[in-house]
Amino acid sequence: MEFYLKDASGKNSFLFPVNPEEVSIRREKQLETVNILSLGEVDMAQEEKLKEISFSSFFPADQDPIGSMNLLTSYMVSKQPVRLLITEAGINILGYISSHSTSLRGGEPGDIYFDIAIRTWREPKVRTTAASGATVRTDLKPVPKTYTVRQGDTLYAIAKRELGSSARWGEIYAKNKALIGSDPGLIHPGQKLVMP
């Protein structure tokens, strides 16, 4: 069984010189706890959390342990995922090194021990905006009704025909005073009046 890390380009790979005694794979379901008044707390299942693979081993003194730790650190700080391959175990994942720690032991000078954790990488899902095909939110503001003045119209006649009562001509005038001017009897064909 061999343990490899490959960088994002796939051109550079690193073989761990000493296999770990055990590999831990952690899987979890993401749960959101909500409080429902009549039921109390209830867990709502969400997506699966990112899987984490962790193991511990050491770099022997005769195989450039400092260079190996620096390589792990460069992989960790990179914003690119790395590929973890564990032959004979069927593990081939793309992920980020989420943590690694080192320790030195007094009885074994030059060897560097390490713990490493790699979390699986997941393609971010980005929602599209209205400009790229999503439904457009409906504007709930009422659109004012308009009336286009025709030849021979008066505010009195428009109020009777459109509002059902000629007595409401003053309401039309009040809404359109800036357009009509000071004389409510002077309306012209083609003017668009806002109706009450």
PDB file of all heavy atoms in Angstrom, residues 86-102:
ATOM      1  N   ILE A  86      -4.407   6.474  -2.077  1.00  0.00           N
ATOM      2  CA  ILE A  86      -3.948   5.383  -1.214  1.00  0.00           C
ATOM      3  C   ILE A  86      -4.210   4.106  -1.997  1.00  0.00           C
ATOM      4  O   ILE A  86      -5.357   3.687  -2.152  1.00  0.00           O
ATOM      5  CB  ILE A  86      -4.662   5.373   0.152  1.00  0.00           C
ATOM      6  CG1 ILE A  86      -4.494   6.724   0.854  1.00  0.00           C
ATOM      7  CG2 ILE A  86      -4.132   4.245   1.016  1.00  0.00           C
ATOM      8  CD1 ILE A  86      -5.263   6.845   2.164  1.00  0.00           C
ATOM      9  N   THR A  87      -3.140   3.542  -2.529  1.00  0.00           N
ATOM     10  CA  THR A  87      -3.287   2.350  -3.360  1.00  0.00           C
ATOM     11  C   THR A  87      -3.787   1.192  -2.505  1.00  0.00           C
ATOM     12  O   THR A  87      -3.592   1.168  -1.287  1.00  0.00           O
ATOM     13  CB  THR A  87      -1.952   1.966  -4.014  1.00  0.00           C
ATOM     14  OG1 THR A  87      -1.009   1.663  -3.007  1.00  0.00           O
ATOM     15  CG2 THR A  87      -1.422   3.088  -4.899  1.00  0.00           C
ATOM     16  N   GLU A  88      -4.444   0.252  -3.117  1.00  0.00           N
ATOM     17  CA  GLU A  88      -5.001  -0.942  -2.491  1.00  0.00           C
ATOM     18  C   GLU A  88      -6.115  -0.632  -1.493  1.00  0.00           C
ATOM     19  O   GLU A  88      -6.636  -1.540  -0.866  1.00  0.00           O
ATOM     20  CB  GLU A  88      -3.911  -1.779  -1.812  1.00  0.00           C
ATOM     21  CG  GLU A  88      -2.839  -2.283  -2.776  1.00  0.00           C
ATOM     22  CD  GLU A  88      -1.723  -3.010  -2.066  1.00  0.00           C
ATOM     23  OE1 GLU A  88      -1.996  -3.700  -1.071  1.00  0.00           O
ATOM     24  OE2 GLU A  88      -0.576  -2.869  -2.526  1.00  0.00           O
ATOM     25  N   ALA A  89      -6.473   0.636  -1.325  1.00  0.00           N
ATOM     26  CA  ALA A  89      -7.578   0.995  -0.433  1.00  0.00           C
ATOM     27  C   ALA A  89      -8.696   1.667  -1.219  1.00  0.00           C
ATOM     28  O   ALA A  89      -9.749   1.972  -0.675  1.00  0.00           O
ATOM     29  CB  ALA A  89      -7.097   1.914   0.680  1.00  0.00           C
ATOM     30  N   GLY A  90      -8.443   1.939  -2.502  1.00  0.00           N
ATOM     31  CA  GLY A  90      -9.465   2.563  -3.334  1.00  0.00           C
ATOM     32  C   GLY A  90      -9.717   4.019  -2.999  1.00  0.00           C
ATOM     33  O   GLY A  90     -10.779   4.542  -3.293  1.00  0.00           O
ATOM     34  N   ILE A  91      -8.775   4.682  -2.367  1.00  0.00           N
ATOM     35  CA  ILE A  91      -8.957   6.091  -2.010  1.00  0.00           C
ATOM     36  C   ILE A  91      -8.239   6.944  -3.041  1.00  0.00           C
ATOM     37  O   ILE A  91      -7.035   6.808  -3.253  1.00  0.00           O
ATOM     38  CB  ILE A  91      -8.452   6.383  -0.587  1.00  0.00           C
ATOM     39  CG1 ILE A  91      -9.308   5.617   0.416  1.00  0.00           C
ATOM     40  CG2 ILE A  91      -8.471   7.876  -0.301  1.00  0.00           C
ATOM     41  CD1 ILE A  91      -8.869   5.736   1.845  1.00  0.00           C
ATOM     42  N   ASN A  92      -9.014   7.790  -3.692  1.00  0.00           N
ATOM     43  CA  ASN A  92      -8.507   8.709  -4.712  1.00  0.00           C
ATOM     44  C   ASN A  92      -9.398   9.942  -4.642  1.00  0.00           C
ATOM     45  O   ASN A  92     -10.446   9.999  -5.277  1.00  0.00           O
ATOM     46  CB  ASN A  92      -8.581   8.047  -6.089  1.00  0.00           C
ATOM     47  CG  ASN A  92      -8.056   8.953  -7.187  1.00  0.00           C
ATOM     48  OD1 ASN A  92      -7.780  10.129  -6.973  1.00  0.00           O
ATOM     49  ND2 ASN A  92      -7.948   8.403  -8.383  1.00  0.00           N
ATOM     50  N   ILE A  93      -9.028  10.889  -3.795  1.00  0.00           N
ATOM     51  CA  ILE A  93      -9.884  12.061  -3.571  1.00  0.00           C
ATOM     52  C   ILE A  93      -9.129  13.339  -3.867  1.00  0.00           C
ATOM     53  O   ILE A  93      -7.909  13.406  -3.754  1.00  0.00           O
ATOM     54  CB  ILE A  93     -10.433  12.121  -2.123  1.00  0.00           C
ATOM     55  CG1 ILE A  93      -9.284  12.317  -1.125  1.00  0.00           C
ATOM     56  CG2 ILE A  93     -11.279  10.917  -1.796  1.00  0.00           C
ATOM     57  CD1 ILE A  93      -9.703  12.957   0.158  1.00  0.00           C
ATOM     58  N   LEU A  94      -9.893  14.347  -4.222  1.00  0.00           N
ATOM     59  CA  LEU A  94      -9.373  15.698  -4.375  1.00  0.00           C
ATOM     60  C   LEU A  94      -9.755  16.440  -3.097  1.00  0.00           C
ATOM     61  O   LEU A  94     -10.915  16.364  -2.659  1.00  0.00           O
ATOM     62  CB  LEU A  94     -10.022  16.348  -5.594  1.00  0.00           C
ATOM     63  CG  LEU A  94      -9.315  17.519  -6.245  1.00  0.00           C
ATOM     64  CD1 LEU A  94      -7.904  17.147  -6.659  1.00  0.00           C
ATOM     65  CD2 LEU A  94     -10.101  17.988  -7.455  1.00  0.00           C
ATOM     66  N   GLY A  95      -8.799  17.115  -2.471  1.00  0.00           N
ATOM     67  CA  GLY A  95      -9.110  17.786  -1.217  1.00  0.00           C
ATOM     68  C   GLY A  95      -8.064  18.814  -0.838  1.00  0.00           C
ATOM     69  O   GLY A  95      -7.089  19.035  -1.547  1.00  0.00           O
ATOM     70  N   TYR A  96      -8.315  19.443   0.292  1.00  0.00           N
ATOM     71  CA  TYR A  96      -7.398  20.424   0.853  1.00  0.00           C
ATOM     72  C   TYR A  96      -6.759  19.826   2.106  1.00  0.00           C
ATOM     73  O   TYR A  96      -7.439  19.153   2.887  1.00  0.00           O
ATOM     74  CB  TYR A  96      -8.124  21.705   1.258  1.00  0.00           C
ATOM     75  CG  TYR A  96      -8.633  22.526   0.111  1.00  0.00           C
ATOM     76  CD1 TYR A  96      -9.994  22.624  -0.151  1.00  0.00           C
ATOM     77  CD2 TYR A  96      -7.755  23.223  -0.708  1.00  0.00           C
ATOM     78  CE1 TYR A  96     -10.465  23.394  -1.203  1.00  0.00           C
ATOM     79  CE2 TYR A  96      -8.216  23.991  -1.760  1.00  0.00           C
ATOM     80  CZ  TYR A  96      -9.571  24.067  -2.000  1.00  0.00           C
ATOM     81  OH  TYR A  96     -10.024  24.828  -3.040  1.00  0.00           O
ATOM     82  N   ILE A  97      -5.484  20.104   2.308  1.00  0.00           N
ATOM     83  CA  ILE A  97      -4.869  19.749   3.589  1.00  0.00           C
ATOM     84  C   ILE A  97      -5.395  20.770   4.586  1.00  0.00           C
ATOM     85  O   ILE A  97      -5.079  21.953   4.506  1.00  0.00           O
ATOM     86  CB  ILE A  97      -3.329  19.780   3.508  1.00  0.00           C
ATOM     87  CG1 ILE A  97      -2.834  18.731   2.505  1.00  0.00           C
ATOM     88  CG2 ILE A  97      -2.722  19.549   4.881  1.00  0.00           C
ATOM     89  CD1 ILE A  97      -1.335  18.748   2.272  1.00  0.00           C
ATOM     90  N   SER A  98      -6.260  20.318   5.489  1.00  0.00           N
ATOM     91  CA  SER A  98      -6.865  21.254   6.438  1.00  0.00           C
ATOM     92  C   SER A  98      -5.952  21.497   7.628  1.00  0.00           C
ATOM     93  O   SER A  98      -6.006  22.558   8.240  1.00  0.00           O
ATOM     94  CB  SER A  98      -8.229  20.747   6.896  1.00  0.00           C
ATOM     95  OG  SER A  98      -8.117  19.479   7.493  1.00  0.00           O
ATOM     96  N   SER A  99      -5.107  20.514   7.964  1.00  0.00           N
ATOM     97  CA  SER A  99      -4.149  20.729   9.056  1.00  0.00           C
ATOM     98  C   SER A  99      -3.038  19.686   8.969  1.00  0.00           C
ATOM     99  O   SER A  99      -3.232  18.599   8.427  1.00  0.00           O
ATOM    100  CB  SER A  99      -4.848  20.625  10.417  1.00  0.00           C
ATOM    101  OG  SER A  99      -5.289  19.303  10.636  1.00  0.00           O
ATOM    102  N   HIS A 100      -1.895  20.087   9.467  1.00  0.00           N
ATOM    103  CA  HIS A 100      -0.824  19.115   9.719  1.00  0.00           C
ATOM    104  C   HIS A 100       0.027  19.664  10.846  1.00  0.00           C
ATOM    105  O   HIS A 100       0.215  20.870  10.989  1.00  0.00           O
ATOM    106  CB  HIS A 100      -0.027  18.779   8.446  1.00  0.00           C
ATOM    107  CG  HIS A 100       1.031  19.749   8.059  1.00  0.00           C
ATOM    108  ND1 HIS A 100       2.307  19.697   8.563  1.00  0.00           N
ATOM    109  CD2 HIS A 100       1.018  20.797   7.204  1.00  0.00           C
ATOM    110  CE1 HIS A 100       3.031  20.667   8.026  1.00  0.00           C
ATOM    111  NE2 HIS A 100       2.272  21.353   7.211  1.00  0.00           N
ATOM    112  N   SER A 101       0.470  18.747  11.683  1.00  0.00           N
ATOM    113  CA  SER A 101       1.296  19.162  12.816  1.00  0.00           C
ATOM    114  C   SER A 101       2.520  18.257  12.883  1.00  0.00           C
ATOM    115  O   SER A 101       2.486  17.116  12.414  1.00  0.00           O
ATOM    116  CB  SER A 101       0.496  19.113  14.116  1.00  0.00           C
ATOM    117  OG  SER A 101       0.017  17.799  14.331  1.00  0.00           O
ATOM    118  N   THR A 102       3.573  18.763  13.446  1.00  0.00           N
ATOM    119  CA  THR A 102       4.816  18.007  13.532  1.00  0.00           C
ATOM    120  C   THR A 102       5.252  17.890  14.982  1.00  0.00           C
ATOM    121  O   THR A 102       4.899  18.727  15.827  1.00  0.00           O
ATOM    122  CB  THR A 102       5.942  18.701  12.747  1.00  0.00           C
ATOM    123  OG1 THR A 102       6.133  20.016  13.259  1.00  0.00           O
ATOM    124  CG2 THR A 102       5.618  18.795  11.282  1.00  0.00           C
TER     125      THR A 102
END
